[in-house]
Amino acid sequence: MPTEPLLDTDLLRAFVAVAETGSFTAAAALVGRSQSAVSQKVIRLEEMLERSVFARTSRSLRLTPDGERLLVVARQMLALNDDFLRGLRRPSEIGTLRLGISENLVPTQLPKLLSRFFALHSSVHLELSTGISVELLARHKDGKLDAVVALSQPETPVRSGRVLWREPLVWIAAADYEPDPAQPARLVVMRPPCTYRAAMTDSLDRVRRDWVTACTASSLAGLQAALTAGMGVTALGQSFLHEGVRILRGDRWPALPVAEMTVVGEDGPAGELVRELSVFLADGMMGGSALSLAA
């Protein structure tokens, strides 16, 4: 009987490296191959699939729709391959996983993530911490957390972590909120330190737009309540859009940076569990928004 060609894990590993780093040069350093070798692997993969997985220009690199579908499957296949081989050589002895999750993920991704992950690892005891990214990363650095999924901090890049996905930040306000153009922008923010807060104020300062803090919240739930109540505007990822809020556009709302969600701890004692968790989380986010890759 005719069979489909087998996907080579070596080709998939090169493809995933390019997708996650955003460039062939960075991917080459990650997998320990030359840039031309990585490029040839991606070309061979595209020939096998008879599909383009990247849309390339002289200035940018992004996943095609077929590439986005492949990235989900490739991560699953590589995780299954690697975890199986590790399990044969050194069965996991992790009894407790101390996991830190950025509060941004709690309402949208955390329930699905925990349901999938602990259906397979019911014997693992979870110590779950949620909060502000910078605080979770500090606790990981101090050895108080095994793994953290958090926003990458521009002032202190997470060099030991891996980017799971990138998402554009947008200006958001209540659906019926009408900002007064004659008045300073009224911001709804989290208490410092906060990556989104810094992104908002820096963007407004660059265009010399006056702003005031209308509400400072200690949690994401509080921020969303103040936002929905019409107290002002804020910046969040596109995945936070829901009924009752809208995106603000126009010259008065300057461009915002792209947020990067990073996992830290894959190279630690609980690495096997963390890598599997990362795959589940990336799969969930890919269902809600497309990756944005910068060359």
Side-chain angles (χ1 to χ4, degrees), residues 2-231:
T3 59
E4 296 294 335
L6 297 177
L7 289 173
D8 188 329
T9 55
D10 190 40
L11 303 185
L12 292 179
R13 205 174 298 279
F15 161 71
V16 171
V18 176
E20 291 181 344
T21 62
S23 77
F24 284 90
T25 301
L30 184 64
V31 300
R33 297 288 189 272
S34 67
Q35 180 178 343
S36 61
V38 172
S39 179
Q40 285 300 313
K41 290 178 187 296
V42 172
I43 291 173
R44 286 169 55 196
L45 181 61
E46 290 180 322
E47 291 174 347
M48 177 183 296
L49 297 172
E50 299 180 347
R51 298 284 192 279
S52 295
V53 295
F54 290 110
R56 308 170 179 85
T57 69
S58 59
R59 300 182 61 182
S60 67
L61 177 72
R62 62 179 178 81
L63 287 168
T64 63
D66 288 324
E68 292 177 4
R69 294 172 58 195
L70 176 62
L71 182 59
V72 173
V73 176
R75 281 171 165 160
Q76 293 172 337
M77 292 178 64
L78 292 174
L80 182 62
N81 175 84
D82 296 348
D83 289 344
F84 175 72
L85 293 177
R86 277 191 296 268
L88 285 178
R89 297 164 184 159
R90 181 181 55 83
S92 175
E93 298 178 354
I94 298 296
T96 297
L97 177 63
R98 301 173 299 169
L99 175 65
I101 295 283
S102 172
E103 192 178 22
N104 302 63
L105 298 176
V106 172
T108 57
Q109 295 298 320
L110 187 56
K112 293 182 291 184
L113 172 68
L114 296 183
S115 177
R116 290 186 64 185
F117 184 73
F118 288 99
L120 300 177
H121 301 285
S122 58
S123 63
V124 174
H125 173 246
L126 176 67
E127 291 183 5
L128 179 64
S129 300
T130 62
I132 298 174
S133 294
V134 65
E135 295 176 352
L136 295 175
L137 292 169
R139 291 180 61 189
H140 177 268
K141 183 178 180 181
D142 292 340
K144 297 177 180 178
L145 291 173
D146 298 312
V148 171
V149 181
L151 286 169
S152 179
Q153 306 298 302
E155 65 278 8
T156 54
V158 188
R159 300 188 186 281
S160 61
R162 178 169 66 89
V163 176
L164 292 179
W165 76 89
R166 300 177 177 91
E167 181 180 37
L169 295 183
V170 292
W171 295 100
I172 299 178
D176 58 354
Y177 181 75
E178 293 296 337
D180 185 347
Q183 298 297 322
R186 295 175 56 81
L187 303 183
V188 178
V189 297
M190 296 279 284
R191 60 179 174 84
C194 173
T195 303
Y196 288 173
R197 179 185 181 127
M200 280 188 278
T201 57
D202 290 348
S203 296
L204 292 171
D205 288 344
R206 280 198 300 270
V207 297
R208 299 185 179 181
R209 173 84 188 276
D210 293 333
W211 55 270
V212 296
T213 301
C215 176
T216 300
S218 62
S219 69
L220 183 62
L223 181 144
Q224 291 179 312
L227 186 71
T228 305
M231 294 189 65

